[in-house]
Amino acid sequence: MTGGAGSAGFALGIVSIKEDPMSDLATQVRKIAQEARVASAELALKTADERNQALRAMAAALRRETPQIVAANQLDMEAARAKGTKESLLDRLMLDRGRIESMAAALEELCDLPDPLGQVQEERTMYNGMELRRISVPLGVVAVVYEARPNVTADAAGICLKSGNAAVLRGGSMAARSNEAVARVLAAAAQEAGMPQGWLGAITSTDRAATDELMQLHGVVDVLIPRGGAGLIRHCVEHSKVPVIETGTGNCHVYVHASADLAMARAIILNAKCRRYGVCNAAETLLADGCVAEDFLPKVFADMTERGVLLHLDQAAAEIARREGLEEDQDFVIATEEDWATEYLGPELAVRTVGGVLEAIDHVNAYGTMHSEAIVAEDEQAATTFLNRVDAAAVYWNASTAFTDGGQFGLGAEIGISTQKLHARGPFALQGLTSYKYVLRGTGQVRS
Amino acid sequence: MTGGAGSAGFALGIVSIKEDPMSDLATQVRKIAQEARVASAELALKTADERNQALRAMAAALRRETPQIVAANQLDMEAARAKGTKESLLDRLMLDRGRIESMAAALEELCDLPDPLGQVQEERTMYNGMELRRISVPLGVVAVVYEARPNVTADAAGICLKSGNAAVLRGGSMAARSNEAVARVLAAAAQEAGMPQGWLGAITSTDRAATDELMQLHGVVDVLIPRGGAGLIRHCVEHSKVPVIETGTGNCHVYVHASADLAMARAIILNAKCRRYGVCNAAETLLADGCVAEDFLPKVFADMTERGVLLHLDQAAAEIARREGLEEDQDFVIATEEDWATEYLGPELAVRTVGGVLEAIDHVNAYGTMHSEAIVAEDEQAATTFLNRVDAAAVYWNASTAFTDGGQFGLGAEIGISTQKLHARGPFALQGLTSYKYVLRGTGQVRS
């Protein structure tokens, strides 16, 4: 149902989780987005202080309404368990007092970041005396489509509000009740603190057609940010009329050059692969120069098998593995063409031997997703060639790909990691949710 | 045919004007784009000096090959005349020595602009000693789809090359022979000056399916820039899988506030409407506060009827027009809802009376295309409200909308005027054709 009353008695744009006939759903999604559009005009005029106060009110409301949010989350958890959802996904879905406190704290941290709006990016007096200024403004209406984790609801709402944007959030169906509870609490708290009604819309219908409808709303929604698997992102890129910022698909490589400090290389691939398996900045393929493979790969194989990481090896690497006594089909398999293009997001690693930096670059540019790419080398010329020629958001020399992250890059809370080149690339945050406007002041000038 | 030999014996990616069966055409378009993608990697590594030398060589070649280009253009002109094309369009199509000299001079002017590549936009030492730099890089492959004027072929190729991008150009069918001749000359000259083969592709097939194929090439083409009518732009937005920068649709307004200096307002609307009718920064609707309509509109009506501009008037304005002796259906007609949303691009002007700045803002935000919007007012508060609340690329106080132009804004040659908020807004040029890359240098850092 649209516009139901929130817990504190505030109208909130929600397309609820009950199943609706398709035509009705489309109308409701459009209404939510239209209300967000109207709200965005008012929101853009709020001062930084006003927006920060609303963020603090949202944090306080999350803490106050924790029992209600946990209760909604438990319904999602029960439904997910009944469907036989695996533990790792259940863990991502779960909200408890500690996690809700983290969501609240993240909202408060946003208050300390500089205001991305109203920045004068350029200021000039034109030849005819007109004053030209280029000033940062919000994008308007930001739609975020995301999957399991319900904390994204609070994170995305907060980042949008801090940057003066209205938000339309479309979370995963598994977390629908949790997302709806969080969104109701946030929307009501921000409205009570003076933000315009409709600034936050939540689409928690489990019907996938809701996302498709959102993608039609060119002119109403200014940008669509899909956060999730490669399938979701491809679907959005192929069907959206609203401009999309692609995020998060990371088929990342670590390349070990002949000149590498092999102890350093070992630590870097271990960190890049095993720090966390499910993140987009994790390495999925190790490339190693053939001339160091004999020395280097046995150590990597030991690290990986010890952690239960399945190796996908090219023939040369497989030969070394066999010699080291690794078991085929258990510790390793022979890599196929498909492996080079696969983002495992799990305890698997592809390994390929190459004949130098140019072959490594060709592999990375052919199979990578322009996310994060690393070279380990002592040879500066090889490193420079790699850094210059690899086409990716973040390129590393002698460091782990795991650093590609808004917090690590000093951007504060990120809304995503862009793997496209338009508008924002790599981790993007508040500044990535702004546009600009030329403001020109004259005294009657006309153009000859 | 693909890859035919250019006039100087260089291979050039051209899908030629002869009609091909659809499947073949798709293959050819893809091949051109793939060749541009390969070339883009090399092009990105060329120094500013090397790119500038190529631009100078392109300018020299245009001058040298003027007879050949004019001959090709005459074939286009004859074909267009035979089809009964109107004079204004024929004039846009025509190339002569003077116009080709202008194209050459524009290429040379690009050499004097600062290099948009390799700029360090950010530079920091991270908490762990890693060096982070954000550096500007080319987008990669830029596709431009445009209509009548063949000079765009040289302008777009030059701007793309200056910014290190490979270009795939798809001009209008009416100018196919001219575009092909210009592209062959430019591609050969730049290759001779050291640019990689395939950096410039021209699709001059008259089959519209070529544009549709280009729009499918996500991952090969980095951005698609349509330059042309609203129909072309809508088609691209709705069907392209490649990110689009919308350009050029300008339903611009001049709003005359109660406090306006009416002589200034008269000069501004005259300039904004009549300086040139066919440009996107021309005003299409005049909004005037009701309380100044009696004094102000008669003067505007006189200016417009004198120039043969047809007026589309709301009831209040029509009453004044009748009183002034203007003839209905000849000097003016009654405006319909559709008029408010129409970009006439010709000698027509819609006029509406409004009840103050807020009503004017609502009208502009409802019907405008976020291009250029002006208020004429002495009252600073009204002006500030308008500048803040109108959602457009360029907002003007007491000046004509005609200034929205890359040259006027000090950006140099523009590739288009963006009416979207993502990536680039308003006139955009070299900087708008760049992205950035994070380059991180470590000494073995891993993330905890």
Side-chain angles (χ1 to χ4, degrees):
Chain A
M1 239 188 65
T2 311
S7 57
F10 287 86
L12 160 69
I14 291 260
V15 174
S16 209
I17 56 175
K18 79 180 181 76
E19 300 289 340
D20 295 298
M22 164 61 196
S23 67
D24 196 26
L25 179 65
T27 309
Q28 290 173 31
V29 169
R30 216 173 304 126
K31 185 158 181 263
I32 295 279
Q34 291 281 11
E35 286 171 356
R37 169 118 235 118
V38 172
S40 71
E42 291 309 309
L43 194 53
L45 301 171
K46 298 293 177 188
T47 65
D49 275 355
E50 288 168 333
R51 281 176 274 124
N52 286 338
Q53 269 180 359
L55 288 168
R56 283 192 201 95
M58 287 156 65
L62 282 182
R63 292 189 181 107
R64 195 175 57 234
E65 303 293 344
T66 292
Q68 177 200 327
I69 295 167
V70 168
N73 181 251
Q74 276 167 357
L75 295 177
D76 281 335
M77 291 288 286
E78 279 161 29
R81 260 196 215 96
K83 278 189 189 161
T85 306
K86 61 179 180 179
E87 274 309 313
S88 63
L89 269 178
L90 287 175
D91 180 61
R92 295 176 65 171
L93 177 58
M94 192 267 289
L95 288 181
D96 58 14
R97 183 164 290 277
R99 288 189 176 176
I100 294 171
E101 171 54 35
S102 297
M103 289 157 62
L107 291 172
E108 286 170 340
E109 279 165 26
L110 283 170
C111 299
D112 299 330
L113 294 175
D115 186 15
L117 304 181
Q119 289 179 356
V120 180
Q121 302 171 336
E122 212 185 311
E123 188 161 24
R124 267 178 324 105
T125 303
M126 287 167 61
Y127 64 93
N128 61 2
M130 285 167 67
E131 299 285 339
L132 175 151
R133 299 167 87 203
R134 191 177 119 163
I135 299 174
S136 63
V137 298
L139 285 173
V141 178
V142 175
V144 185
V145 180
Y146 52 103
E147 290 175 344
R149 291 176 197 275
N151 64 300
V152 175
T153 305
D155 292 351
I159 295 173
C160 287
L161 184 65
K162 173 80 186 187
S163 54
N165 291 289
V168 179
L169 307 181
R170 199 276 188 267
S173 56
M174 198 189 284
R177 296 171 192 84
S178 314
N179 289 333
E180 183 161 338
V182 170
R184 281 192 190 281
V185 167
L186 297 178
Q191 279 172 233
E192 199 164 12
M195 297 300 110
Q197 182 178 324
W199 77 272
L200 176 61
I203 298 168
T204 53
S205 162
T206 52
D207 193 333
R208 290 202 63 161
T211 305
D212 292 341
E213 182 58 30
L214 205 48
M215 296 194 298
Q216 300 302 309
L217 299 178
H218 182 262
V220 181
V221 177
D222 292 285
V223 62
L224 178 73
I225 304 173
R227 287 179 54 156
L232 170 68
I233 290 162
R234 173 145 297 275
H235 183 72
C236 291
V237 164
E238 294 193 348
H239 297 99
S240 183
K241 295 177 185 172
V242 173
V244 169
I245 299 181
E246 294 174 55
T247 70
T249 314
N251 184 21
C252 307
H253 302 72
V254 172
Y255 163 58
V256 179
H257 182 254
S259 70
D261 172 333
L262 296 182
M264 182 196 288
R266 182 180 177 180
I268 285 174
I269 184 62
L270 182 61
N271 184 256
K273 176 71 252 179
C274 300
R275 181 180 163 272
R276 283 173 65 192
Y277 294 121
V279 293
C280 57
N281 58 26
E284 306 292 7
T285 298
L286 168 67
L287 301 171
D289 271 352
C291 55
V292 296
E294 293 283 348
D295 279 351
F296 178 58
L297 291 185
K299 299 184 186 85
V300 174
F301 293 165
D303 290 342
M304 294 299 155
T305 50
E306 188 185 323
R307 283 162 185 81
V309 173
L310 178 65
L311 297 162
H312 299 258
L313 306 179
D314 74 351
Q315 291 297 352
E319 212 166 290
I320 296 170
R322 287 188 197 104
R323 220 179 300 144
E324 292 290 312
L326 270 70
E327 298 227 13
E328 195 152 354
D329 293 333
Q330 184 182 320
D331 298 326
F332 73 95
V333 293
I334 299 299
T336 64
E337 176 70 16
E338 209 191 323
D339 280 304
W340 311 133
T342 300
E343 186 187 11
Y344 298 115
L345 291 172
E348 298 183 61
L349 177 70
V351 180
R352 186 176 201 173
T353 50
V354 293
V357 66
L358 294 179
E359 201 179 318
I361 291 166
D362 283 348
H363 180 101
V364 168
N365 285 341
Y367 297 103
T369 53
M370 305 206 297
H371 193 294
S372 300
E373 305 294 351
I375 180 174
V376 187
E378 294 300 301
D379 181 330
E380 182 163 357
Q381 205 187 324
T384 304
T385 301
F386 186 91
L387 297 176
N388 286 342
R389 288 184 175 248
V390 163
D391 190 11
V395 286
Y396 291 87
W397 179 16
N398 289 345
S400 168
T401 56
F403 289 105
T404 303
D405 172 286
Q408 295 287 322
F409 279 22
L411 306 173
E414 77 189 19
I415 187 86
I417 296 177
S418 164
T419 53
Q420 68 180 37
K421 293 193 215 167
L422 228 59
H423 188 70
R425 198 178 199 197
F428 68 107
L430 297 173
Q431 202 201 337
L433 295 184
T434 66
S435 180
Y436 52 83
K437 175 191 230 178
Y438 286 97
V439 178
L440 297 106
R441 291 179 160 81
T443 50
Q445 284 85 346
V446 298
R447 187 169 169 193
S448 57
Chain B
M1 238 190 65
T2 311
S7 57
F10 286 86
L12 162 68
I14 290 258
V15 174
S16 209
I17 57 175
K18 79 182 182 72
E19 299 289 341
D20 295 298
M22 162 63 196
S23 67
D24 197 25
L25 179 65
T27 308
Q28 290 173 32
V29 169
R30 217 172 304 130
K31 185 158 179 263
I32 295 279
Q34 291 281 10
E35 286 171 356
R37 168 118 237 117
V38 171
S40 71
E42 291 309 309
L43 195 53
L45 301 171
K46 299 292 179 191
T47 66
D49 275 355
E50 288 168 332
R51 282 175 274 124
N52 287 338
Q53 269 181 358
L55 289 168
R56 284 193 201 94
M58 287 157 64
L62 282 182
R63 293 191 180 103
R64 195 176 58 235
E65 303 293 343
T66 292
Q68 176 199 329
I69 296 167
V70 168
N73 181 251
Q74 277 167 357
L75 295 177
D76 281 336
M77 291 288 286
E78 280 161 29
R81 260 195 215 99
K83 278 190 189 159
T85 305
K86 61 179 180 180
E87 273 309 315
S88 62
L89 269 179
L90 286 176
D91 180 61
R92 295 175 66 172
L93 177 58
M94 191 268 288
L95 289 181
D96 59 13
R97 183 163 291 277
R99 287 188 178 178
I100 293 171
E101 171 54 34
S102 298
M103 288 156 62
L107 291 173
E108 287 170 340
E109 279 165 26
L110 283 170
C111 299
D112 299 330
L113 293 175
D115 186 16
L117 303 182
Q119 289 178 357
V120 179
Q121 300 172 337
E122 212 185 311
E123 188 161 24
R124 267 179 324 107
T125 303
M126 287 167 61
Y127 64 94
N128 61 3
M130 285 168 66
E131 299 284 341
L132 177 150
R133 300 167 88 202
R134 192 177 117 163
I135 298 174
S136 63
V137 298
L139 285 174
V141 178
V142 175
V144 186
V145 180
Y146 51 102
E147 289 173 345
R149 291 176 197 275
N151 65 301
V152 176
T153 305
D155 292 351
I159 296 172
C160 286
L161 184 65
K162 173 80 185 186
S163 54
N165 291 289
V168 178
L169 306 181
R170 200 274 187 269
S173 55
M174 198 188 284
R177 296 171 191 83
S178 314
N179 289 333
E180 183 161 337
V182 170
R184 280 192 192 281
V185 167
L186 297 178
Q191 279 173 232
E192 199 163 11
M195 297 300 111
Q197 181 178 325
W199 77 272
L200 176 62
I203 299 169
T204 53
S205 161
T206 52
D207 192 334
R208 290 202 65 163
T211 306
D212 291 340
E213 183 57 30
L214 204 49
M215 296 193 299
Q216 299 302 309
L217 300 178
H218 181 262
V220 181
V221 176
D222 292 285
V223 62
L224 178 73
I225 304 173
R227 287 179 55 156
L232 169 68
I233 289 162
R234 173 146 297 273
H235 183 72
C236 290
V237 165
E238 294 194 349
H239 297 98
S240 183
K241 295 177 185 172
V242 173
V244 169
I245 299 181
E246 294 174 57
T247 71
T249 315
N251 184 21
C252 307
H253 302 73
V254 172
Y255 163 57
V256 179
H257 182 253
S259 69
D261 172 334
L262 295 182
M264 182 195 290
R266 182 180 178 178
I268 285 174
I269 185 63
L270 182 61
N271 184 256
K273 176 73 251 179
C274 300
R275 180 179 164 273
R276 285 172 65 192
Y277 294 121
V279 292
C280 57
N281 59 27
E284 307 291 6
T285 297
L286 168 67
L287 301 171
D289 270 352
C291 55
V292 296
E294 292 283 348
D295 279 353
F296 178 58
L297 292 184
K299 300 184 185 83
V300 173
F301 293 165
D303 291 341
M304 294 299 154
T305 51
E306 189 185 321
R307 284 162 184 81
V309 173
L310 178 65
L311 297 162
H312 300 257
L313 305 179
D314 74 352
Q315 292 296 351
E319 212 165 290
I320 296 171
R322 287 189 197 103
R323 221 179 301 143
E324 292 290 312
L326 271 68
E327 298 229 10
E328 194 152 355
D329 294 333
Q330 183 182 321
D331 298 326
F332 74 95
V333 294
I334 299 298
T336 64
E337 177 70 16
E338 209 191 323
D339 281 303
W340 311 133
T342 299
E343 185 186 12
Y344 298 115
L345 291 171
E348 299 183 60
L349 177 70
V351 180
R352 185 176 201 171
T353 51
V354 292
V357 66
L358 293 179
E359 201 179 317
I361 291 166
D362 284 347
H363 180 99
V364 168
N365 285 341
Y367 297 104
T369 53
M370 306 207 296
H371 192 296
S372 301
E373 305 294 351
I375 181 174
V376 188
E378 294 300 301
D379 180 329
E380 182 164 357
Q381 204 186 325
T384 304
T385 301
F386 186 91
L387 297 176
N388 286 344
R389 288 184 174 249
V390 163
D391 190 11
V395 288
Y396 291 87
W397 179 15
N398 289 345
S400 167
T401 56
F403 289 105
T404 303
D405 172 286
Q408 295 286 321
F409 279 21
L411 304 175
E414 78 189 16
I415 187 86
I417 296 177
S418 163
T419 53
Q420 68 179 37
K421 293 192 216 168
L422 229 58
H423 189 71
R425 198 178 199 196
F428 68 107
L430 296 175
Q431 202 202 336
L433 295 185
T434 67
S435 181
Y436 53 83
K437 175 192 231 177
Y438 286 97
V439 178
L440 297 107
R441 291 180 160 81
T443 50
Q445 283 86 347
V446 297
R447 188 169 169 195
S448 57

